[in-house]
Amino acid sequence: MPPIYVRVLVCIFAGLGAGLGTGFAGMSAAAVIVPMLTVFLGIDHFTAVGIALASDVLASAISTVTYAKHKNIDIKHSWVLFVSVIVATVGGSIAAHFVTRTNAGNSVMTWFSLYAMLFLGLRFVMFPPKSGNEKMLSLSRTNRVVRSILCGLAIGFVCGFVGAGGGIMMLLLITSVLGYDVKTGVGTSVFIMTFTALTGAVGHFAINTSGLVDHWGVLIGCVLSTLGFAQIASVIANRVKNKILNLVVGILLTALSIALILVNLLLY
C-alpha cells in the first residue's frame, strides 16, 4: 500500500473530479474514483466500486438538495424513469450474479463509458440543449412514459450489470431523448443516482465488508472529498445561466474523459 500522503492526495484528486462531475453534470463518482483507486493505490476493482458508490450517495444527495432548492428537479415527470432505473438496476445485478463478467467485458464497458463521456462533453460544447424544457413538455403523456421506461431500463441494467456508466447515460438520455435542459437534467439525474448508488453501496458492503474495512481511510477520504467538491459545484451550477453551464459541463466532461482515456492507454 502506498504511503499515507499518496493516499491522501489520491483521495483529494479523486474527490475533486468525482465531486465536480456530480455537482456540475450528474456524473457517477465511479467514472473517476474507480480508475484512480485501482491504478494509483492498487485497490481491487470490486472494492473500488464500493468506495465510489458510497461516495456517490452523499455527494448526489447534497447536490439533489441544492438543485431542489432552485426548483431544478422534475420529480413530477421523472417518476416513471426513476422506477424503471431502480427495477432494471436490480435486474442487472441479478444477471451479473449468474453471468461471469470477464476482464474483456469489463474493459469494453470501461472504454464505452469513457467515450460516451467524451461524446457528451463535446455535444454540450458544440450542440448544447436548449434552455427550458419545452421539448419535454411538448411530448404526449404516452410518448413521455414510453421514452422514460426505455431509457430507465437501459440505464438501470448497465448500472446493475457493470456498476458504472449510469450517470453519463442518464444525462445523455435525459437531455437528448426526453428533452430536459441541462440544469433540470442534472438535478433529476443526481436525484435518481442517489438511490441507485445507495442500492449498489449497500450491496457492496454486504458482499465485501472486509475489503471496505481494510481501506476505511480511503473510503472516508473519498466520501468527504467528493461531498465537499460536489456541494461547491452544485451551488455554482444553480447560479449560472444555462448557456454558461452547458459550456462548463462540456469542458469538464471532455477534459475528464481525455485524462482517463490517457491513463488507461498508458497504464493498461
Side-chain angles (χ1 to χ4, degrees), residues 113-134:
S113 298
L114 292 177
Y115 282 114
M117 190 192 307
L118 178 59
F119 169 80
L120 188 58
L122 294 174
R123 177 182 178 276
F124 272 113
V125 173
M126 296 185 292
F127 306 103
K130 295 180 179 179
S131 298
N133 298 308
E134 291 84 359

Side-chain angles (χ1 to χ4, degrees), residues 7-206:
R7 281 175 277 167
V8 170
L9 287 175
V10 170
C11 288
I12 291 174
F13 282 105
L16 171 65
L20 294 182
T22 299
F24 278 127
M27 190 177 77
S28 171
V32 177
I33 292 179
V34 172
M36 291 198 68
L37 296 188
T38 55
V39 170
F40 296 110
L41 299 184
I43 296 176
D44 67 276
H45 185 270
F46 192 86
T47 301
V49 171
I51 292 173
L53 289 170
S55 303
D56 228 348
V57 175
L58 291 180
S60 295
I62 197 68
S63 297
T64 297
V65 172
T66 303
Y67 277 92
K69 286 181 179 178
H70 292 82
K71 298 181 179 179
N72 285 320
I73 294 180
D74 184 9
I75 297 177
K76 178 181 177 181
H77 296 103
S78 65
W79 67 269
V80 175
L81 177 68
F82 172 80
V83 173
S84 299
V85 170
I86 297 299
V87 171
T89 299
V90 175
S93 299
I94 294 173
H97 179 72
F98 290 102
V99 178
T100 301
R101 287 181 292 174
T102 64
N103 289 331
N106 283 328
S107 178
V108 169
M109 290 311 303
T110 297
W111 285 108
F112 170 80
S113 298
L114 292 177
Y115 282 114
M117 190 192 307
L118 178 59
F119 169 80
L120 188 58
L122 294 174
R123 177 182 178 276
F124 272 113
V125 173
M126 296 185 292
F127 306 103
K130 295 180 179 179
S131 298
N133 298 308
E134 291 84 359
K135 179 181 176 182
M136 185 273 296
L137 294 174
S138 68
L139 297 174
S140 68
R141 186 175 184 276
T142 301
N143 194 342
R144 187 166 57 241
V145 169
V146 171
R147 290 189 183 201
S148 296
I149 291 174
L150 293 176
C151 290
L153 292 177
I155 295 164
F157 187 82
V158 170
C159 283
F161 195 76
V162 302
I168 292 298
M169 281 185 64
M170 194 176 306
L171 185 60
L172 176 61
L173 295 177
I174 281 179
T175 55
S176 300
V177 179
L178 296 180
Y180 284 95
D181 66 63
V182 63
K183 284 186 182 179
T184 309
V186 173
T188 304
S189 177
V190 294
F191 166 68
I192 296 174
M193 287 302 295
T194 300
F195 296 93
T196 56
L198 178 61
T199 302
V202 170
H204 274 71
F205 271 110

